[in-house]
């Protein structure tokens, strides 16, 4: 490990740590919302319970701490899935929670699910807090305070841990937030969640609002109450905002596989985990992250974009001559560490993947030479010339059948 760190220092000048830097804690908890918030996307399929259970196992393998397993207040079928997933969680390290509005109509079915499953389920009770939401709903603060008191008190009295979530926190006014969070903590909530419900925040905004909520908790002297961050992707800032929230002191952050969710989706859990790994905040083996992403795509019907970080088809694939030449030289040196970094900011082997060199119209001779030798084919000049000529005339990367046909021509 020390030799690897030495090579990093000698060969990569890291501007991420030279100059202005952000301090992060050494650990953070993760809450996976794929099976609840993720499934609220109007474009996804609601998968069968067998696949939901399989995904829960993968979450557990990846070291994810908690999972939102549904919305029990919505239907009898949702309750059946919550019970099945809660029972399955008893065989795993991962804990579970269920989203509820701050109304007994949602919380009572969740309590019933916990009793049927024989498993503790955290109640995630949410309530919009921003002035614009209050206007649309015709809510006043007195009504909202009553909702918080009734819901949190009931959940705690029933023996379930409770997280109080303010929706649209990143557009909420400080005075209302202070009143709502204080009431939730007074009634027994052990987590409070800052939600960027419509993806309004920038990293500065995420940092500022989490720091403010942390100050509320400190003023209350509630040292056992943790602060969560729940981010969305409407401005494409889900991961950046989550990192800013962690830097501000958020102790648990939420995300979904592939960022699926309403509108532009949630913080993508897979990309967040990649960044937490690179920052040294998590040290979990992430070789199963590929299976998590692929299963989520299969079960929800959401295709993985080819340029998706790490797990898109093109993430570690090149057909460009200059890029391929550098990667091929590193591979030919027998130096996988170098090959995984010379043209990549993310080491492919950390995730059970590898660099792939192909042949297309932007390729050079090095692409063809490497392609052939890696398959045990002697790169004779006439063969190389035929493949290069075909590649330059093509509008796309050549597939294996086309290249082998040229080899045997």
């Amino acid at each position: 490990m020390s030799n690897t760190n030495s090579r990093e220092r000698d060969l990569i000048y890291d501007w991420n740590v030279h100059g202005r830097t952000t301090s992060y804690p050494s650990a953070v908890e993760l809450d996976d919302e794929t099976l609840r918030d993720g499934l609220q996307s109007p474009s996804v399929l609601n998968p069968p319970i067998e696949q939901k259970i399989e995904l829960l196992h993968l979450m557990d393998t990846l070291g994810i701490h908690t999972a939102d397993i549904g919305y029990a207040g919505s239907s009898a079928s949702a309750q059946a899935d919550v019970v099945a997933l809660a029972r399955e969680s008893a065989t795993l390290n991962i804990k579970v929670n269920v989203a509820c509005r701050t109304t007994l109509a949602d919380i009572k079915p969740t309590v019933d699910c916990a009793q049927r499953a024989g498993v503790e389920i955290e109640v995630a009770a949410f309530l919009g807090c921003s002035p614009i939401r209050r206007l649309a709903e015709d809510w006043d603060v007195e009504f909202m305070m009553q909702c918080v008191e009734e819901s949190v008190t009931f959940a705690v009295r029933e023996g379930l841990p409770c997280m109080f979530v303010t929706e649209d926190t990143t557009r909420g006014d400080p005075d209302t937030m202070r009143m709502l969070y204080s009431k939730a903590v007074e009634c027994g909530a052990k987590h409070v969640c800052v939600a960027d419900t419509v993806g309004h925040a920038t990293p500065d905004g995420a940092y500022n609002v989490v720091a403010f909520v942390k100050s509320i908790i400190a003023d209350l002297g509630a040292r056992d109450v943790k602060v969560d961050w729940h981010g969305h992707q409407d401005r494409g800032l889900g991961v950046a905002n989550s990192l800013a929230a962690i830097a501000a002191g958020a102790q648990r952050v939420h995300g979904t596989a592939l960022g699926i969710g309403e509108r532009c989706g949630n913080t993508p859990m897979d990309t967040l985990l990649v960044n937490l790994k690179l920052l040294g905040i998590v040290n979990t083996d992430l070789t199963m992250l590929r299976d998590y992403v692929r299963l989520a795509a299969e079960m929800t019907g959401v295709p993985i974009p080819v340029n998706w970080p790490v797990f898109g088809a093109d993430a570690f694939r090149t057909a460009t001559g200059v890029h391929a030449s550098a990667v091929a030289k590193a591979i030919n040196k027998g130096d996988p560490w170098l090959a995984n970094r010379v043209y990549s900011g993310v080491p492919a082997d950390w995730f059970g993947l590898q660099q792939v060199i192909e042949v297309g119209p932007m390729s050079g001779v090095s692409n063809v030479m490497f392609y052939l030798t890696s398959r045990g084919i002697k790169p004779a000049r006439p063969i190389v010339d035929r493949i290069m000529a075909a590649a330059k005339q093509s509008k796309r990367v050549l597939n294996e059948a086309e290249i082998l046909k040229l080899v045997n021509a």
Side-chain angles (χ1 to χ4, degrees), residues 36-45 260-263 302:
R36 199 278 304 183
D37 208 351
L39 297 184
Q40 290 186 173
S41 165
S43 297
V44 306
L45 304 173
I260 60 172
E262 290 189 280
R263 303 180 316 280
V302 175

Side-chain angles (χ1 to χ4, degrees), residues 333-357:
K333 289 176 184 286
D335 193 338
W337 183 93
L338 182 60
N340 277 301
R341 288 164 178 80
V342 66
Y343 251 107
S344 180
V346 179
D349 56 342
W350 282 16
F351 307 97
L353 300 165
Q354 61 184 5
Q355 301 292 329
V356 176
I357 295 175

Side-chain angles (χ1 to χ4, degrees), residues 34-297:
T34 306
L35 297 175
R36 199 278 304 183
D37 208 351
L39 297 184
Q40 290 186 173
S41 165
S43 297
V44 306
L45 304 173
N46 184 23
I49 188 60
E50 293 79 11
Q51 287 186 317
K52 291 182 179 180
I53 288 173
E54 187 179 354
L55 192 70
L56 187 70
H57 275 262
L58 285 169
M59 294 175 194
D60 185 63
T61 300
L62 293 168
I64 293 170
H65 303 81
T66 54
D68 188 337
I69 55 174
Y71 187 6
S74 64
S75 67
S77 61
Q79 290 164 30
D81 280 5
V82 165
V83 171
L85 287 161
R87 284 177 177 157
E88 192 68 23
S89 73
T91 69
L92 306 170
N93 291 317
I94 196 168
K95 306 301 181 185
V96 295
N97 54 55
V98 165
C100 305
R101 294 169 298 170
T102 49
T103 170
L104 300 191
D106 278 6
I107 299 176
K108 285 181 177 178
T110 303
V111 172
D112 180 61
C113 287
Q115 292 172 346
R116 287 162 58 192
V119 172
E120 185 177 82
I121 296 175
E122 180 184 30
V123 171
F126 61 87
L127 178 69
C129 75
S130 60
I132 191 171
R133 178 69 185 279
R134 299 201 302 269
L135 175 62
E137 299 282 1
D138 291 324
W139 291 341
D140 59 30
V141 174
E142 182 180 356
F143 167 77
M144 295 163 66
M145 294 286 280
Q146 289 173 350
C147 289
V148 175
E149 182 172 7
E150 181 181 53
S151 58
V152 176
T153 300
F154 179 78
V156 172
R157 190 170 63 235
E158 291 295 323
L160 297 183
C162 185
M163 169 171 61
F164 173 63
V165 183
T166 53
E167 282 191 305
D168 208 15
T169 325
T170 54
R171 300 192 298 177
D173 62 284
D175 291 341
T176 303
M177 287 161 56
R178 183 177 291 277
M179 286 189 287
L180 294 175
Y181 283 129
S182 297
K183 176 58 70 174
V185 171
E186 175 191 320
C187 294
K190 294 303 181 185
H191 278 256
V192 296
C193 181
V194 176
D196 187 25
T197 305
V198 297
H200 165 77
T202 64
D204 285 342
Y207 187 99
N208 292 340
V209 70
V210 169
F212 173 68
V213 175
K214 291 283 288 186
S215 75
I216 294 173
I217 303 305
D219 290 345
L220 294 171
R223 294 177 180 168
D224 59 340
V225 174
K226 295 183 177 180
V227 175
D228 285 39
W229 168 263
H230 178 100
H232 280 257
Q233 281 280 84
D234 298 71
R235 294 174 71 163
L237 295 172
V239 171
N241 287 344
S242 294
L243 295 178
I246 293 168
Q251 291 137 304
R252 185 168 64 178
V253 291
H254 303 191
T256 64
L258 292 169
I260 60 172
E262 290 189 280
R263 303 180 316 280
C264 304
N266 294 41
T267 301
M269 178 63 79
D270 45 290
T271 310
L272 177 61
L273 272 167
V274 168
N275 280 276
L276 293 176
K277 177 83 168 181
L278 288 166
L279 288 166
I281 300 172
V282 302
N283 294 305
T284 314
D285 179 357
L286 296 182
T287 52
M288 297 296 288
L289 193 54
R290 172 178 54 176
D291 293 342
Y292 164 88
V293 169
R294 288 178 177 176
L295 175 60

